[in-house]
């Protein structure tokens, strides 16, 4: 029996700032962003959007198509949690009307925790093949204004349905693992934005990739030439290009960038989505291929600062196209609109509720779910259709 993904769906807010606009404001060459870091747009949540509303938008199409039968666990992975105690998954549970008899927990380790959630989910459905797990990766990547990380902001969520005998992607049982205690990117509890040693983080990312790859090989993983596609954690797409080149060097082969570029199409339009990023890359590779990918294997690298790396693999299942939401994904991206630099600043300053003041949120979300207010320290989420 195999385990893996039977459905994947993403959501990103409907506003963005063009990186060319940011470059103009800073008086720098726009090619630094379009070529140097390989990004075009930064997705911007409204004041009434956060990891919970994005997760609800991402998960709802899966629930509508497949129902809730058998789902007994919800694992919510995020770096941008909205509460120190309550799992964001419980707000999501309420918004989506999920069954009461299920587990529900939030997982944290920078951009990496969705991979732990996925592996735990696969282990669970291997033990109980009649059960399913909803894995959510949802994050708002927000850096200080005028910092070097500013151009690598973004926001998005990916929802995944993990089952036995999956219909979309079988997740391989071999993983290459790596952990080291470093300070490359972190966010102490008192901070809304991370502290980051940008250049160091990029170097540690590449080191973690090699270490995880070596461990993957030592554990009997597939060889490099068995993969048709590679999907990387993408803080910015140029990082994925560097990673792909670095891995090819490690295995002493010539680099074929066409194996990695399809995974970067969505990221260039959305920006960093932390935990969701490598899963957005998988969706990008699946949705944007005219070729039938049935039976092909993807090499996957997940990185979380602090730091962890995991190299693992997925194999595309026969009939996978029937389980994509590619039309919806294209529509979400096509219906977005750009904002001016001034409006970007207003959105960047969106209230977090950390000051404890009651706040009614302006109605800005394009989707069905929104954070209506923070009332007596409680986040009040609403469903427009309820
Ligand atoms: N035309 C073309 N290219 C240009 C250019 C121009 N006019 N101007 C500059 N460039 C190139 C530079 O040569 C450079 O290329 P190389 O990387 O090949 O040297 C690239 O654009 C970036 O320029 P800088 O190195 O000067 O950029 P920077 O220092 O201002 O910022 C960064 C880069 C440090 C990565 C910064 O974006 C950052 O701190 N980002 C946040 C941290 C991050 O994303 N780290 C990645 C690894 S950690 C991780 O993956 C976890 C996570 O999600 C955060």
């Amino acid at each position: 029996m195999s385990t893996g993904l039977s459905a994947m769906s993403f959501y990103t807010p409907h506003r963005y700032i063009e990186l060319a606009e940011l470059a103009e404001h800073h008086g720098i060459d726009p090619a630094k962003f379009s070529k140097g870091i390989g990004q075009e747009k930064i997705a911007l949540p409204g004041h009434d959007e956060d990891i919970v509303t994005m997760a609800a938008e991402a998960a709802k199409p899966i629930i509508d198509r497949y129902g809730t039968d058998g789902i007994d666990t919800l694992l919510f992975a995020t770096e941008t949690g909205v509460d120190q105690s309550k799992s964001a998954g419980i707000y999501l549970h309420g918004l989506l009307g999920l069954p009461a008899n299920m587990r529900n927990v939030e997982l944290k380790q920078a951009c990496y925790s969705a991979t732990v959630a996925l592996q735990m989910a696969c282990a669970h459905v291997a033990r109980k093949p009649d059960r399913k797990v909803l894995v959510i990766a949802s994050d708002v990547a927000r850096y200080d204004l005028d910092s070097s990380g500013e151009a690598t902001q973004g926001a998005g969520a990916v929802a995944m349905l993990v089952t036995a005998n999956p219909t979309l992607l079988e997740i391989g049982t071999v993983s290459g693992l790596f952990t080291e205690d470093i300070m490359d990117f972190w966010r102490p509890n008192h901070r809304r934005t991370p502290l980051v040693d940008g250049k160091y983080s990029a170097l540690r990312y590449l080191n973690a990739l090699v270490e995880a790859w070596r461990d993957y090989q030592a554990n009997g993983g597939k060889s490099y030439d068995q993969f048709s596609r590679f999907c990387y954690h993408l803080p910015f797409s140029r990082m994925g290009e560097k990673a792909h080149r670095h891995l090819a060097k490690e295995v002493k082969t010539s680099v074929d960038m066409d194996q990695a570029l399809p995974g970067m199409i969505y990221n260039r339009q959305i920006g960093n989505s932390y935990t969701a990023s490598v899963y957005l890359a998988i969706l990008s590779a699946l949705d944007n291929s005219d070729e039938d990918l049935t039976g092909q294997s993807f090499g996957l690298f997940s990185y979380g600062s602090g730091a962890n790396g995991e190299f693992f693999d997925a194999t595309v299942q026969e009939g996978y196209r029937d389980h994509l939401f590619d039309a919806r994904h294209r529509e979400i991206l096509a219906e977005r609109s750009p904002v001016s630099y001034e409006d970007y600043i207003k959105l960047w300053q969106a209230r977090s509720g950390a000051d404890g003041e009651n706040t009614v949120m302006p109605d800005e979300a394009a989707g069905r779910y929104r954070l209506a207010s923070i009332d007596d320290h409680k986040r009040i989420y609403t469903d427009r259709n309820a």
Side-chain angles (χ1 to χ4, degrees):
M1 184 199 53
S2 62
T3 61
L5 294 160
S6 284
M8 293 175 89
S9 153
F10 89 73
Y11 186 76
T12 189
H14 73 294
R15 290 187 182 83
Y16 62 85
I17 182 166
E18 294 276 4
L19 278 167
E21 171 100 7
L22 198 63
E24 191 183 325
H25 171 80
H26 290 302
I28 58 172
D29 181 355
K32 172 169 178 185
F33 296 151
S34 60
K35 295 198 169 63
I37 66 162
Q39 293 298 114
E40 288 164 33
K41 299 179 169 80
I42 295 172
L44 301 168
H47 290 71
D48 55 346
E49 293 175 285
D50 66 8
I51 54 162
V52 174
T53 63
M54 291 193 300
E57 300 292 348
K60 187 69 168 79
I62 293 181
I63 300 300
D64 285 348
R65 194 186 284 180
Y66 299 95
T68 57
D69 273 4
I71 300 179
D72 73 353
T73 302
L74 192 161
L75 302 175
F76 197 115
T78 186
E79 187 276 346
T80 32
V82 294
D83 193 291
Q84 288 282 38
S85 172
K86 179 168 173 165
S87 165
I90 297 194
Y91 290 113
L92 180 64
H93 182 274
L95 269 180
L96 295 181
L98 297 176
N101 299 113
M102 61 190 290
R103 296 185 188 89
N104 197 326
V105 73
E106 184 173 311
L107 291 94
K108 177 186 68 184
Q109 182 8 58
C111 307
Y112 171 62
S113 59
T115 301
V116 177
L118 173 58
Q119 296 292 7
M120 287 167 69
C122 286
H124 176 58
V125 299
R127 197 165 67 137
K128 296 196 169 183
D130 60 334
R131 303 302 166 94
K132 298 174 187 163
V133 179
L134 191 58
V135 170
I136 304 289
S138 184
D139 268 306
V140 178
R142 191 183 276 123
Y143 290 86
D144 285 339
L145 297 174
D146 305 333
S147 70
S148 66
E150 185 183 18
T152 67
Q153 298 177 106
V158 174
M160 301 175 257
L161 188 64
V162 177
T163 69
N165 304 316
T167 52
L168 188 59
L169 290 171
E170 177 182 340
I171 299 295
T173 53
V174 177
S175 271
L177 306 173
F178 178 70
T179 293
E180 66 172 345
D181 182 5
I182 55 167
M183 301 303 276
D184 60 333
F185 167 108
W186 69 106
R187 186 162 69 83
N189 287 345
H190 59 273
R191 284 187 59 101
R192 183 168 177 251
T193 50
L195 295 155
V196 59
D197 189 341
K199 302 240 189 274
Y200 177 60
S201 69
L203 289 174
R204 297 327 289 169
Y205 173 119
L206 295 177
N207 179 63
L209 168 62
V210 167
E211 294 291 345
W213 169 259
R214 288 177 184 167
D215 192 50
Y216 175 76
Q217 290 300 304
N219 283 291
K222 294 185 176 184
S223 61
Y224 186 90
D225 56 14
Q226 285 179 276
F227 295 117
S228 70
R229 297 274 190 281
F230 289 83
C231 297
Y232 297 93
H233 167 61
L234 296 173
F236 48 94
S237 69
R238 188 84 198 292
M239 188 73 233
E241 289 178 34
K242 287 184 183 189
H244 196 49
R245 219 168 264 123
H246 203 68
L247 189 57
K249 196 171 159 203
E250 164 67 16
V251 299
K252 298 183 177 54
T253 188
S254 57
V255 67
D256 176 0
M257 208 46 84
D258 288 344
Q259 294 181 315
L261 290 175
M264 298 179 197
I265 295 167
Y266 287 157
N267 184 272
R268 288 181 71 93
Q269 303 298 318
I270 290 171
N272 198 351
S273 54
Y274 291 158
T275 51
S277 162
V278 65
Y279 299 99
L280 191 65
I282 295 171
L283 277 173
S284 181
L286 289 172
D287 288 357
N288 293 297
S289 177
D290 293 335
E291 179 194 344
D292 181 4
L293 299 171
T294 301
Q296 296 191 20
S297 290
F298 289 12
L300 309 173
F301 178 62
S302 177
Y303 179 74
S305 289
N308 304 94
E310 178 159 344
F311 195 97
F312 59 116
D313 63 74
T315 303
V316 182
Q317 301 300 286
E318 195 177 346
Y320 73 98
R321 281 204 167 110
D322 297 339
H323 302 280
L324 297 178
F325 291 90
D326 51 328
R328 175 177 152 88
H329 295 155
R330 277 191 277 276
E331 194 179 305
I332 288 169
L333 292 177
E335 290 182 353
R336 301 189 304 163
S337 37
V339 301
S340 64
Y341 181 80
E342 291 67 33
D343 286 342
Y344 152 67
I345 295 298
K346 285 185 201 145
L347 290 172
W348 188 93
Q349 284 160 342
R351 295 287 295 279
S352 66
D355 53 14
E357 275 186 32
N358 287 355
T359 313
V360 175
M361 299 297 171
D363 192 340
E364 294 176 337
R368 171 171 172 172
Y369 303 100
R370 54 185 299 270
L371 172 66
S373 60
I374 297 173
D375 193 0
D376 193 18
H377 305 276
K378 295 170 189 154
R379 296 176 86 81
I380 311 296
Y381 291 97
T382 54
D383 173 353
R384 294 185 199 275
N385 295 7

